[in-house]
Amino acid sequence: DLLNDILDWSRAQTGKIFYKPSLIEMPLLIEEMIDLMKNQADKKEIRLLNKKCCSEKIWADKNILQTVLRNLISNAIKFTDVGGEVVIDSEEMTDGTAQQICIFSVSDNGIGMPKDKVERLFQMNDDISKQGTAGEKGTGLGLLLCKELINVHGGEIKAKSELGKGTTISFSIPKEKRV
C-alpha cells in the first residue's frame, strides 16, 4: 500500500495520473473496502459501519476511489482507540452548478486534531505524520495523495475535527460523466 501511495503521489505531482472512469457500483466498492480493512480494525476492536450509499452507481475511476477510501479508513482506524468506531456514509446533493454530486465521508470517534492541524492537513509540512493510538506509523503522504486524486475527479476533500471527539474527512465526486 505504501509503495502504491508513493507511486500514485509521484504521478499526481507530475500530472501523470491515469484517470479511467467507468460506472461504479458504490455500495459494492464500499463493502469491498470495509472487508479489506476489517483485519486492521479487528486488531483494535473497532467497528466499521457502512451507513448508506448515496447512489447505486457513479461515474468515477474505481482504482482511484479504492485508494482514497483505503487511505481514509486506514487513517480513521489508526487514530481511533480500542473499542471505537469508524463510519462510512454518503449523501447525494446538487452543487452550485446544478450538477449532481455524491459526498462521501469517513468519520471516527478517535483522538481528533486541533484546528491548526486541520487547516494544514492537506499540505506538505514538517509535522506531516503522527503515530496512531497503538503506535502505528505513517508516511504522511496519504491525505496529500487523496487530495490530488479527488481533484482529478473534479471533486473536493475537506476535514473537520475536534480534539478528543474524532475526525470526519469528506470528499465530493460528480455523480455523472464529466464532459
Side-chain angles (χ1 to χ4, degrees):
D1 290 342
L2 171 61
L3 182 58
N4 283 331
D5 285 353
I6 291 169
L7 288 171
D8 287 341
W9 185 76
S10 171
R11 283 189 204 111
Q13 295 306 298
T14 59
K16 295 181 181 175
I17 293 178
F18 302 112
Y19 176 67
K20 296 179 183 165
S22 62
L23 210 51
I24 300 172
E25 293 186 38
M26 284 309 294
L28 182 60
L29 179 69
I30 291 171
E31 283 303 320
E32 287 173 4
M33 292 297 95
I34 288 173
D35 287 344
L36 179 71
M37 304 308 297
K38 187 167 178 16
N39 285 339
Q40 184 183 350
D42 286 348
K43 288 177 185 175
K44 291 175 75 175
E45 300 173 17
I46 293 172
R47 293 183 326 156
L48 296 177
L49 304 171
N50 184 6
K51 263 192 155 173
K52 67 177 187 236
C53 195
C54 72
S55 179
E56 284 298 311
K57 296 181 180 182
I58 66 169
W59 188 259
D61 184 301
K62 183 177 182 178
N63 291 329
I64 288 176
L65 286 187
Q66 286 173 325
T67 299
V68 169
L69 286 168
R70 185 186 72 243
N71 269 295
L72 297 183
I73 295 168
S74 179
N75 277 353
I77 293 168
K78 178 178 173 180
F79 295 109
T80 298
D81 287 313
V82 171
E85 71 179 24
V86 173
V87 178
I88 298 95
D89 199 2
S90 65
E91 64 180 311
E92 195 168 319
M93 298 180 73
T94 304
D95 70 5
T97 65
Q99 181 179 20
Q100 289 297 109
I101 59 172
C102 284
I103 299 175
F104 297 91
S105 63
V106 177
S107 302
D108 63 62
N109 60 352
I111 59 175
M113 293 175 275
K115 185 178 179 182
D116 65 313
K117 175 107 176 168
V118 174
E119 291 169 356
R120 298 185 328 261
L121 204 54
F122 300 103
Q123 302 169 5
M124 183 70 83
N125 56 50
D126 292 338
D127 66 342
I128 197 162
S129 185
K130 183 179 176 189
Q131 282 193 344
T133 58
E136 304 98 327
K137 297 188 186 310
T139 62
L141 290 177
L143 289 177
L144 294 172
L145 173 62
C146 288
K147 180 179 183 198
E148 297 291 333
L149 296 176
I150 294 303
N151 286 344
V152 166
H153 277 86
E156 184 180 358
I157 189 166
K158 52 185 157 184
K160 62 181 188 179
S161 186
E162 190 174 338
L163 268 174
K165 296 194 177 185
T167 301
T168 297
I169 308 283
S170 59
F171 65 92
S172 62
I173 296 285
K175 184 178 173 191
E176 309 286 321
K177 190 175 191 177
R178 290 188 294 169
V179 285

